[in-house]
């Protein structure tokens, strides 16, 4: 029964089918992507509804004044005439100076007016309102008399702890900010708020003082109590939707990590979780609900979450670019952010969060700008991933330049600059997950391809093993069936040879029957040698060749073997005796005889063949071996055999094909052979940890030289091979 597709549009589902190739893992991830789309629609709806709120801002004029020493009093500030007019948010970057904002509230019949200050993470805010005379015009509401404001509002919304009546005879002070406990604030809200007097007949002027360890950025509105409550509700809804979406991204990344075990997904999930905590901190949710009576903890958490988010982001992009094969020098800025993380946390702990957060903001901008450069050096083969990553960094660069430069005091801010990280976090989170999803899809497809190739390889191996077993059985049967008639022919020819009369021909000359019998015997020996080589080659390929080494004097072995050769009179020996070594005598004998038979067969008739033996150590044998000086194999003690002969009618063999299976020189076809002798010698030499090579020495009387090097002790792995056979 086919798997049911997740809830998604037909186009999206069809695209997924084409991309995922019906992968079960793909369908599981695709279901989460469908939920992401629903969350995105919800967030857009809530943010759209929040931005559509009809809020009547009662502030008619704003002016800003900088107090570099932070020592001016409200009386002194009220006398100043050098306030600089502003129309929107005020940003002065990271500074220790105090910022004074003069606001003028329009006449209103609303009764209670609430001054709302954004953002929520400002430390020390103080609002000074003029104290009115005891005899007031009709309709005037004095904020110092908070009891008169409780009518119709409710004790849960307002409290009297934020008002200070004893400041002076002219001014009333209220305090707020994330260093003030919730119980000491005029209004229980996620933002710093103040209740101010209003008049129906003329504007009122108030002075707001800001001094903070974070960025000096603030925006002030004066709202009616009804508008303020609606604004607060909209902010709660938007933050809830935003956090919900980020949590879905975190959950999606976590599931991907659980399925794929790719650590980059785990880092992305961790980044999204930290983003949630950072969002709740900077939006005032943590100070409102978690640290209501521990303002120092709320302030500390905001700073720590800010630098933690950058550290996780640096770690994530470092590993992502490394996974794509980016040069190491391109990721130094991301690794640097990890090294600076404990430094920034230490600054926060020591009471200097301003420096830590300032370094953090500069690192964010630096990482983005450097990422713009890095992305062009990353060798991403897939075009979709390459385009997505470049689009992400180009967009983030433009975005952050627009949002962060005002935070550093380098450009004029707008209301959108109050929370720059929220938009960039959401955008980068969605886009990066799109990149990771594409990367995961390609990995799944590659893994499936490799799995199919592995299965095909296993089937091919099984088929080849079965074919080789069948071939070995057939070869064994043929050898048995052929050797029996050959033995009969050999015995019959020897019997006939003995039965011929001794004086049938002149002395020293063989009769015609003798010549024919000798030809038969040579043919039988040739066929028998062909069969033996076929059997030896098959045993080598089947891994059925046993190696049993014992201590021997190699020089003595060679002398004994050569003396029994039919053409021993043509072989000249140059032996270095004694030469002790652990060798498999039968195998070594077959190897030497193959080399000697090859030299005797393809050299001019009656010419000499030289066999030399010499010990080796370090890289002496390697120097003799063409193109392999200092080979690791020849650094061990061993011995080198050389077989040299003159060039015969067959000519010089092709050195590139000489040790290939069944190879024979074009002019060697007149000689009996299989092309398996040198192939077998080459295979056995490798099995024993040695090598065999051929070289042609032009101008030398014996230019055709074969060299065989073997270690004096068995090569590592030979004993293991014996055990496995």
């Amino acid at each position: 029964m086919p798997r049911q597709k997740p809830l998604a549009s037909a186009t999206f589902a069809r695209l997924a089918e084409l991309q995922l190739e019906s992968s079960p893992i793909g369908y599981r991830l695709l279901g989460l992507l469908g939920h992401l789309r629903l969350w995105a629609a919800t967030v857009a709806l809530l943010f759209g509804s929040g931005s559509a709120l009809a809020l009547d801002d009662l502030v008619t004029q704003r002016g800003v004044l900088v107090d570099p020493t932070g020592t001016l009093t409200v009386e002194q500030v009220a006398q100043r005439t050098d306030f600089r007019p502003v129309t929107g948010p005020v940003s002065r970057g990271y500074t220790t100076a105090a910022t004074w904002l003069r606001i003028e509230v329009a006449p209103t019949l609303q009764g209670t007016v609430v001054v709302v200050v954004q953002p929520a993470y400002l430390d020390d805010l103080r609002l000074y309102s003029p104290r009115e005379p005891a005899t007031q015009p009709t309709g005037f509401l004095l904020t110092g008399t908070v009891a008169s404001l409780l009518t119709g509002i409710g004790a849960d919304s307002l409290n009297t702890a934020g008002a200070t009546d004893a400041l002076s005879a002219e001014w009333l002070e209220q305090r707020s900010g994330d260093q003030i406990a919730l119980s000491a604030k005029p209004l229980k809200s996620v933002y710093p708020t103040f209740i101010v007097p209003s008049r129906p007949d003329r504007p009122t002027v108030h002075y707001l003082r800001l001094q903070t360890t974070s960025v000096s950025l603030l925006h002030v509105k004066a709202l009616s109590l009804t508008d303020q409550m609606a604004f607060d509700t909209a902010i709660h809804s938007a933050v809830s939707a935003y956090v919900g979406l980020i949590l879905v991204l975190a959950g999606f990344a976590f599931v991907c990590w659980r399925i794929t075990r790719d650590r980059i997904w785990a880092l992305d999930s961790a980044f999204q979780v930290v983003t949630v905590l950072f969002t709740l901190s900077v939006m005032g949710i943590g100070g409102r609900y978690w640290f209501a009576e521990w303002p120092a903890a709320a302030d500390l958490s905001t700073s720590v979450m800010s630098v933690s988010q950058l550290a996780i982001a640096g770690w994530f992009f470092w590993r992502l670019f490394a996974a794509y094969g980016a040069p190491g020098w391109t990721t130094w800025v991301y690794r640097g952010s990890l090294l600076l993380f404990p430094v920034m946390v230490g600054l926060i702990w020591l009471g200097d969060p301003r420096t830590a957060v300032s370094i953090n903001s500069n690192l964010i901008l630096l990482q983005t700008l450097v990422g713009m450069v890095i992305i062009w050096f990353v060798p991403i083969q897939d075009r979709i991933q390459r385009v997505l990553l470049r689009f992400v960094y180009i967009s983030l660069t433009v975005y952050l330049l627009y949002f962060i430069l005002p935070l550093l005091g380098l450009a004029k801010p707008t209301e959108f600059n109050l929370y720059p990280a929220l938009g960039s976090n959401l955008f980068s989170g969605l886009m990066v997950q799109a990149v990771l999803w594409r990367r995961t899809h390609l990995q799944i497809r590659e893994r499936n391809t490799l799995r199919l190739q592995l299965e095909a390889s296993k089937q091919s191996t099984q088929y080849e093993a079965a074919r080789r077993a069948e071939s070995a059985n057939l070869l064994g049967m043929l050898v048995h069936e052929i050797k029996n008639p050959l033995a009969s022919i050999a015995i019959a020819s020897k019997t006939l040879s003995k039965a011929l009369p001794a004086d049938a021909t002149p002395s020293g000359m063989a009769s015609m029957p003798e010549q024919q019998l000798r030809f038969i015997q040579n043919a039988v020996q040739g066929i028998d040698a062909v069969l033996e080589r076929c059997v030896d080659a098959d045993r080598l390929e089947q891994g059925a060749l046993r190696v049993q080494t014992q201590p021997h004097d190699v020089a003595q072995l060679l002398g004994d073997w050569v003396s029994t050769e039919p053409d021993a009179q043509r072989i000249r020996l140059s032996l270095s005796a004694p030469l002790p070594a652990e060798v498999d005598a039968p195998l070594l004998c077959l190897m030497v005889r193959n080399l000697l038979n090859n030299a005797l067969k393809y050299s001019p008739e009656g010419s000499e063949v030289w066999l030399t033996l010499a010990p080796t150590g370090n890289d002496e044998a390697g120097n003799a071996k063409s193109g392999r000086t200092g080979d690791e194999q020849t650094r061990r003690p061993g011995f080198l055999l050389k077989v040299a002969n003159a060039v015969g009618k067959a000519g010089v063999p092709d050195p590139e094909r000489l040790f290939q299976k069944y190879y024979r020189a074009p002019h060697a076809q007149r000689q009996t052979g299989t092309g398996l002798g040198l192939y077998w010698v080459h295979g056995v030499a490798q099995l024993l940890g040695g090598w065999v090579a051929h070289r042609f020495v032009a101008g030398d009387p014996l230019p055709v030289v074969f060299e065989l090097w073997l270690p004096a002790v068995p090569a590592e792995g030979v004993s293991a091979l014996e055990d496995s056979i």
Side-chain angles (χ1 to χ4, degrees):
M1 183 175 180
R3 183 186 296 268
Q4 185 177 1
K5 297 179 181 179
L7 180 61
S9 64
T11 303
F12 188 75
R14 179 55 182 161
L15 177 62
E17 289 178 0
L18 296 175
Q19 292 293 316
L20 301 177
E21 299 176 350
S22 301
S23 168
I25 295 177
Y27 277 120
R28 293 164 66 184
L29 299 181
L30 186 58
L32 290 175
L33 284 178
H35 289 84
L36 281 178
R37 298 177 67 209
L38 295 177
W39 267 105
T42 304
V43 170
L45 178 62
L46 290 174
F47 273 114
S49 62
S51 62
L53 288 174
L55 302 177
D56 185 13
D57 187 2
L58 300 176
V59 177
T60 58
Q61 291 184 8
R62 298 175 178 87
V64 64
L65 175 69
V66 178
D67 178 9
T69 61
T71 59
L72 293 178
T73 64
V74 65
E75 289 85 356
Q76 294 172 329
V77 170
Q79 300 300 320
R80 299 284 290 266
T81 60
D82 54 346
F83 278 85
R84 177 172 57 86
V86 292
T87 57
V90 176
S91 176
R92 300 200 56 256
Y94 296 91
T95 177
T96 59
T99 303
W100 288 85
L101 190 67
R102 180 184 183 276
I103 59 173
E104 183 178 291
V105 179
T108 179
L109 296 175
Q110 296 291 336
T112 301
V113 175
V114 180
V115 174
V116 180
V117 183
Q118 294 175 276
Y121 51 79
L122 300 175
D123 293 341
D124 185 11
L125 288 164
R126 303 184 184 188
L127 184 72
Y128 298 92
S129 303
R131 186 185 297 276
E132 295 293 339
T135 303
Q136 310 172 45
T138 304
F140 182 80
L141 295 178
L142 180 63
T143 56
T145 313
V146 180
S148 65
L149 301 177
L150 296 177
T151 305
I153 298 176
D156 289 338
S157 298
L158 299 172
N159 63 68
T160 62
T164 304
D165 293 323
L167 178 66
S168 69
E170 297 181 2
W171 298 96
L172 177 70
E173 179 189 67
Q174 298 180 72
R175 298 184 62 184
S176 189
D178 67 355
Q179 291 186 350
I180 307 298
L182 186 65
S183 60
K185 294 181 180 179
L187 194 65
K188 294 181 179 179
S189 173
V190 294
Y191 290 109
T193 54
F194 305 93
I195 302 170
V196 299
S198 62
R199 295 185 63 99
D201 55 341
R202 62 180 174 83
T204 56
V205 177
H206 310 272
Y207 293 92
L208 179 67
R209 182 183 185 274
L210 167 65
Q211 197 161 25
T212 182
T213 57
S214 59
V215 60
S216 292
L217 171 69
L218 75 160
H219 181 56
V220 178
K221 295 179 181 179
L223 306 174
S224 67
L225 184 59
T226 303
D227 283 352
Q228 188 277 330
M229 296 177 67
F231 178 71
D232 200 65
T233 301
I235 292 298
H236 275 78
S237 300
V239 171
S240 299
Y242 181 90
V243 168
L245 178 55
I246 298 299
L247 286 176
V248 171
L249 293 177
F252 178 75
F254 180 78
V255 172
C256 290
W257 169 69
R258 291 288 296 173
I259 294 174
T260 64
R261 293 298 178 180
D262 188 345
R263 294 183 180 179
I264 296 180
W265 278 114
L267 286 174
D268 183 59
S269 180
F271 173 75
Q272 302 301 340
V273 171
V274 174
T275 297
V276 169
L277 298 177
F278 171 74
T279 301
L280 296 176
S281 297
V282 298
M283 295 300 293
I285 302 298
R288 171 66 176 85
Y289 297 101
W290 301 336
F291 308 109
E293 299 305 319
W294 297 281
D299 184 58
L300 181 67
S301 68
T302 302
S303 300
V304 171
M305 285 301 105
S306 178
V307 299
S308 298
Q309 188 187 42
L310 177 68
I312 294 292
W315 192 3
F316 169 80
F317 282 105
W318 171 26
R319 301 313 306 169
L320 179 65
F321 287 141
Y324 283 117
W329 63 267
T330 60
T331 57
W332 64 267
V333 68
Y334 296 103
R335 287 177 283 181
S337 65
L338 291 176
L339 295 177
L340 287 175
F341 173 69
V343 176
M344 291 186 287
V345 172
L347 288 172
I348 294 172
W349 185 259
L350 294 175
D352 189 12
R354 180 184 293 106
T355 302
V357 177
S358 177
I359 294 173
N360 194 68
S361 296
N362 284 280
L363 279 177
I364 292 174
L365 185 58
L366 180 62
Q367 281 191 3
T368 305
L369 295 177
V370 171
M372 271 285 293
V373 178
I374 294 177
I375 198 62
W376 302 100
F377 289 92
V378 178
I380 303 176
Q381 301 300 325
D382 181 54
R383 178 176 175 272
I384 295 178
Q385 296 178 79
R386 186 170 62 250
V387 170
L388 281 175
L389 277 175
R390 290 178 179 177
F391 174 71
V392 168
Y393 268 96
I394 292 173
S395 302
L396 284 179
T397 300
V398 175
Y399 180 91
L400 291 179
L401 287 175
Y402 174 75
F403 281 94
I404 289 184
L405 290 180
L407 297 184
L408 301 176
L410 302 178
K412 183 180 179 180
T414 65
E415 290 191 49
F416 293 104
N417 296 107
L418 297 176
Y419 300 98
L422 301 187
S424 63
N425 289 340
L426 180 60
F427 172 76
S428 60
L430 289 170
M431 295 303 296
V432 166
Q433 286 204 353
V435 173
L436 292 181
W437 167 238
R438 173 66 179 176
R439 177 173 175 270
T440 299
H441 158 64
L442 294 179
Q443 289 177 337
I444 293 173
R445 188 170 67 180
E446 182 180 1
R447 192 178 301 123
N448 289 337
T449 301
L450 291 176
R451 180 176 53 82
L452 293 176
Q453 291 177 350
L454 179 61
E455 291 178 357
S457 177
K458 288 182 178 179
Q459 293 178 358
S460 177
T461 302
Q462 293 174 354
Y463 170 77
E464 183 66 20
R467 188 190 65 80
R468 286 189 176 184
E470 182 179 356
S471 176
N473 293 334
L474 177 61
L475 179 61
M477 183 269 294
L478 289 176
V479 169
H480 180 268
E481 294 298 326
I482 294 175
K483 277 203 167 188
N484 287 336
L486 286 178
S488 300
I489 294 173
I491 293 173
S493 63
K494 289 181 180 179
T495 302
L496 289 175
S497 179
K498 292 179 180 179
L500 291 175
D503 55 352
T505 57
S507 177
M509 297 182 61
S511 64
M512 181 62 66
E514 287 178 329
Q515 293 177 358
Q516 292 176 347
L517 289 174
R518 187 176 301 171
F519 176 78
I520 292 172
Q521 292 172 357
N522 291 337
V524 169
Q525 292 176 358
I527 295 174
D528 189 66
V530 168
L531 293 176
E532 289 295 334
R533 286 185 173 86
C534 290
V535 172
D536 291 340
D538 184 69
R539 291 175 61 204
L540 176 66
E541 292 177 344
Q542 296 291 338
L545 196 63
R546 288 187 175 274
V547 179
Q548 297 178 347
T549 61
Q550 291 181 352
H552 287 283
D553 182 353
V554 179
Q556 183 178 353
L557 288 178
L558 290 179
D560 295 342
W561 294 336
V562 170
S563 63
T564 60
E565 287 291 316
D567 293 330
Q569 71 279 3
R570 294 179 56 191
I571 302 175
R572 299 291 179 263
L573 297 176
S574 176
L575 306 178
S576 177
L579 203 161
E582 290 189 19
V583 296
D584 186 316
L587 278 181
L588 181 60
C589 177
L590 289 176
M591 296 172 75
V592 173
R593 282 181 173 171
N594 269 287
L595 294 176
L596 287 175
N597 290 340
N598 183 79
L600 292 169
K601 183 185 297 185
Y602 296 112
S603 60
E605 186 174 354
S607 64
E608 294 182 345
V609 173
W610 277 85
L611 172 63
T612 62
L613 172 68
T616 64
N618 297 327
D619 63 346
E620 296 177 21
N623 292 329
K625 188 175 181 183
S626 57
R628 293 183 62 178
T629 301
D631 191 282
E632 182 66 28
Q633 292 175 312
T634 60
R635 294 179 183 177
R636 296 159 44 204
F639 56 90
L640 181 67
L641 285 165
K642 292 184 181 180
V643 177
N645 62 274
V647 179
K649 294 181 180 180
V652 180
D654 183 355
E656 299 296 329
R657 303 175 57 196
L658 183 60
F659 296 104
Q660 293 180 4
K661 192 176 182 180
Y662 303 128
Y663 169 74
R664 302 190 69 204
H667 300 291
Q669 304 299 328
R670 289 173 293 181
Q671 298 281 352
T672 302
T674 60
L676 293 174
L678 294 179
Y679 165 77
W680 181 85
V681 172
H682 181 267
V684 174
Q686 286 186 328
L687 178 65
L688 297 175
W691 49 260
V692 63
H694 163 268
R695 58 191 177 93
F696 180 77
V697 185
D700 195 283
L702 303 175
V704 181
V705 180
F706 283 88
E707 298 173 335
L708 171 65
W709 180 87
L710 293 174
V713 294
E716 295 181 5
V718 170
S719 58
L721 176 67
E722 294 179 43
D723 296 337
S724 64
I725 296 176

